[in-house]
Amino acid sequence: MGEKDSKKWVLMATARSPTNIAVIKYWGKRDETLILPVNGSISVTLDPSHLSATTTVAVSPSFDRDRMWLNGKEILLSGGRFQSCLREIRRRAEDVEDEERGICIKREDWEGLHVHIASFNNFPTAAGLASSAAGFACLVFALAKLMNVKEETTELSSIARQGSGSACRSLYGGFVKWAMGNKEDGSDSIAVQLANETHWEDLVILIAVVCSRQKETSSTTGMRESVETSSLLQYRSQVVVPRRLIQMEEAIQKRDFPSFAKLTCADSNQFHAVCLDTSPPIFYMNDTSHRHVQLCFLVYCICLFIRLLDYRNFQDRWNQFEGTPQVTYTYDAGPNAVLIAPNRKVAHLLLQRMLFYFPPPSEKELDSYVLGDTSILQEAGLHSKKDIEALLPPAEAKTNAPPQKYTGDINYFICTRPGSGPVLLSGDDQALLNAETGLPKLSADRP
C-alpha cells in the first residue's frame, strides 16, 4: 500500500436499503450455516423512505479491528453471519483508487484492512418487521460499493442471504422471489425480481405496529424448532408452498388482487399454524402478552393470542361482508399486522375502519399515530382525533353486536407502498460515520 500507510485517510460509502414483507413465507432452513431455506418465498419490497436501513461502511489503515454500531450502540462482530458477509465481499473486492486524495487500494490489500460499520433502522428492530433483512442487504450493498465489487445483484443476494435469509429479497425493489435452490453450496439459492415497484403501484400497505420491542423468540430459534418438531412444516414446504409460488407469481403478473389476497392470507395463517404445531408452541406476541402467559399458561395464552390478532378476524368479517377480498393481511414472526389494499380508495375505507376499532390513546396526536404516507389521512377525511371520534360504525359492524373498540392496542400505523431497492447515498452529510475519524457521529450530527 506504500505511502498511503502513513496517512490517516478514511474511505467511506453510505447506502440505504428497504425492508420487505413476505406474502409467501420463508420458515425453516435445510442448512443453518449457509442459510438455505426448506422452501422458496415471495415478498413485496416496501418504500425505503418509510421503512429502511441506512448503513455507512468505512475503511482506513488506522483501524485496528472491525467494529460495528447499530442504532448508536456498538455490537460485537464475532457472529458468524457478519463475518460471512465480510469474508465473501472481501474475496470479491477489486482495486480502488481516489486520485484526488492519493488513495490506492489493491485487491490484495483488502484482507489486511479493517472496516467500521454504522447502521440505523428508521423502524423497530427485531420486532417482526424484517429489520435484519434491511440491515444485511444494506451492509452487503454498501460494502460492495466501497470495495468495488463487480458481481451482479443476484450474486450479492446469495451473500446477503448468509447474513439473514430474507435479506436476499431486499436487494431488489417491487416483487421478489427467493428461489430455494438445490445445490449443496447454495450457489443457486438466490433472489430474482418478478416485477419492479411500478408494476402494481396502486397497492397501499398499512402496518399496525402492536409492539416495537424486541421479540423474545428469535426467528432463528423458531425456525430451528419448527424444522425439528413440526410435521406440518414438512407438508407445507414439500406440497403446499411449491403450488402457491406458481399461483402467486401469476397473481402478481396479472395484478389479480382477489387471488393475491386469498393466497397471502392463507399462507400467513399456515405459517402461524406451523408455529403452533412446533414443540413447544411458538407465540409471536408482545411483552404484555408474555407476562400474562407466565401467570395463566396455555389456556389464557391462546385467548390472548386470539385477542391480539382480533383485527385480523375483523378483516375476515369485512371481506365476507363485501363478498370479495377488499384487503389482505399477513403476519411475519411478530404481532404486527401488515394489511394490503388494492388501491387508495379502498385504503381510505380500511384506514377509517382501523381507526374506528383502534383509535389512538387520548394523549397521542394523529400525526404521531399514523406515519409514513400521511397524505392518506387527509384523503380519507381524517384531519384530527375529532374526525376519528365522529366516525360512524362501519356497515359490517351493524349486523353484529355493538362493536368493541381497542384504544391503545396499537402503538401506531405506518402507511406505505411497494418500493425500490438499495441506493448509494452521496455526500458526507448522509453518512453515519465521521469522515475524518471513522467513528459514529454524535446524535445531533446524524442525518
Side-chain angles (χ1 to χ4, degrees), residues 301-313:
C301 169
I302 294 173
C303 292
L304 285 177
F305 187 67
I306 294 171
R307 166 74 163 79
L308 185 66
L309 300 185
D310 188 64
Y311 46 93
R312 180 188 69 185
N313 299 333

Side-chain angles (χ1 to χ4, degrees), residues 21-24 41-44 176-177 194 245 248-249 252:
I21 294 296
V23 290
I24 302 295
S41 57
I42 293 177
S43 64
V44 183
V176 186
K177 177 182 178 180
L194 299 177
L245 290 172
M248 181 60 80
E249 282 193 53
I252 290 170

Side-chain angles (χ1 to χ4, degrees), residues 81-314:
R81 295 186 176 189
F82 284 106
Q83 295 303 330
S84 292
C85 292
L86 281 169
R87 181 182 64 252
E88 293 299 320
I89 291 293
R90 279 177 170 138
R91 189 165 65 85
R92 295 165 172 80
E94 298 286 348
D95 295 354
V96 172
E97 187 169 358
D98 186 333
E99 293 183 0
E100 185 176 341
R101 300 175 62 191
I103 300 172
C104 179
I105 306 174
K106 298 297 183 182
R107 60 183 303 174
E108 60 268 19
D109 295 338
W110 285 108
E111 289 293 337
L113 289 169
H114 294 289
V115 297
H116 284 185
I117 304 163
S119 188
F120 177 79
N121 295 329
N122 68 352
F123 62 99
T125 299
L129 289 174
S131 58
S132 62
F136 275 103
C138 202
L139 172 65
V140 168
F141 185 83
L143 285 171
K145 295 299 182 182
L146 178 71
M147 299 185 185
N148 196 25
V149 172
K150 302 295 187 182
E151 269 74 4
E152 298 291 334
T153 303
T154 51
E155 177 70 15
L156 293 181
S157 76
S158 72
I159 300 173
R161 184 204 72 229
Q162 297 175 54
S164 173
S166 53
C168 69
R169 299 189 307 243
S170 279
L171 281 166
Y172 290 99
F175 300 85
V176 186
K177 177 182 178 180
W178 175 10
M180 64 175 287
N182 297 302
K183 297 180 180 179
E184 290 187 4
D185 65 358
S187 58
D188 59 346
S189 184
I190 57 174
V192 292
Q193 188 180 57
L194 299 177
N196 66 24
E197 63 273 17
T198 65
H199 169 72
W200 204 351
E201 58 187 353
D202 289 342
L203 294 183
V204 179
I205 302 167
L206 187 67
I207 303 172
V209 180
V210 176
C211 175
S212 58
R213 297 181 183 177
Q214 184 167 330
K215 58 195 177 192
E216 294 189 11
T217 303
S218 70
S219 297
T220 299
T221 300
M223 288 188 198
R224 184 183 303 119
E225 293 176 350
S226 292
V227 167
E228 292 173 353
T229 65
S230 173
S231 57
L232 177 56
L233 176 62
Q234 306 307 318
Y235 179 76
R236 165 180 163 77
S237 62
Q238 296 170 19
V239 179
V240 179
V241 172
R243 180 174 65 249
R244 283 183 179 163
L245 290 172
I246 296 171
Q247 294 170 338
M248 181 60 80
E249 282 193 53
E250 183 178 359
I252 290 170
Q253 294 300 335
K254 293 182 176 179
R255 294 189 286 271
D256 176 358
F257 189 80
S259 296
F260 175 84
K262 291 175 182 177
L263 287 165
T264 300
C265 289
D267 204 72
S268 178
N269 291 344
Q270 190 179 69
F271 157 57
H272 284 277
V274 167
C275 292
L276 291 174
D277 189 51
T278 300
S279 181
I282 303 169
F283 302 94
Y284 281 115
M285 307 168 78
N286 61 16
D287 292 342
T288 301
S289 297
H290 280 294
R291 284 192 291 268
H292 282 90
V293 169
Q294 292 173 352
L295 294 173
C296 303
F297 196 50
L298 183 61
V299 175
Y300 193 36
C301 169
I302 294 173
C303 292
L304 285 177
F305 187 67
I306 294 171
R307 166 74 163 79
L308 185 66
L309 300 185
D310 188 64
Y311 46 93
R312 180 188 69 185
N313 299 333
F314 145 68

Side-chain angles (χ1 to χ4, degrees), residues 271-392:
F271 157 57
H272 284 277
V274 167
C275 292
L276 291 174
D277 189 51
T278 300
S279 181
I282 303 169
F283 302 94
Y284 281 115
M285 307 168 78
N286 61 16
D287 292 342
T288 301
S289 297
H290 280 294
R291 284 192 291 268
H292 282 90
V293 169
Q294 292 173 352
L295 294 173
C296 303
F297 196 50
L298 183 61
V299 175
Y300 193 36
C301 169
I302 294 173
C303 292
L304 285 177
F305 187 67
I306 294 171
R307 166 74 163 79
L308 185 66
L309 300 185
D310 188 64
Y311 46 93
R312 180 188 69 185
N313 299 333
F314 145 68
Q315 294 302 331
D316 283 337
R317 291 198 299 272
W318 184 25
N319 285 337
Q320 184 178 18
F321 179 81
E322 297 289 349
T324 58
Q326 302 297 305
V327 65
T328 188
Y329 62 79
T330 187
Y331 295 77
D332 277 352
N336 305 307
V338 180
L339 310 173
I340 306 176
N343 53 57
R344 291 186 79 83
K345 181 178 180 180
V346 174
H348 298 160
L349 298 174
L350 171 62
L351 187 60
Q352 291 171 351
R353 282 167 159 88
M354 291 298 289
L355 292 177
F356 174 85
Y357 286 104
F358 301 95
S362 57
E363 72 278 2
K364 200 155 195 172
E365 294 301 324
L366 193 55
D367 59 0
S368 64
Y369 195 56
V370 180
L371 309 176
D373 180 12
T374 56
S375 63
I376 199 167
L377 284 169
Q378 286 69 44
E379 294 172 14
L382 302 171
H383 303 278
S384 67
K385 284 195 291 187
K386 289 184 178 179
D387 294 323
I388 296 175
E389 293 167 358
L391 288 172
L392 297 174

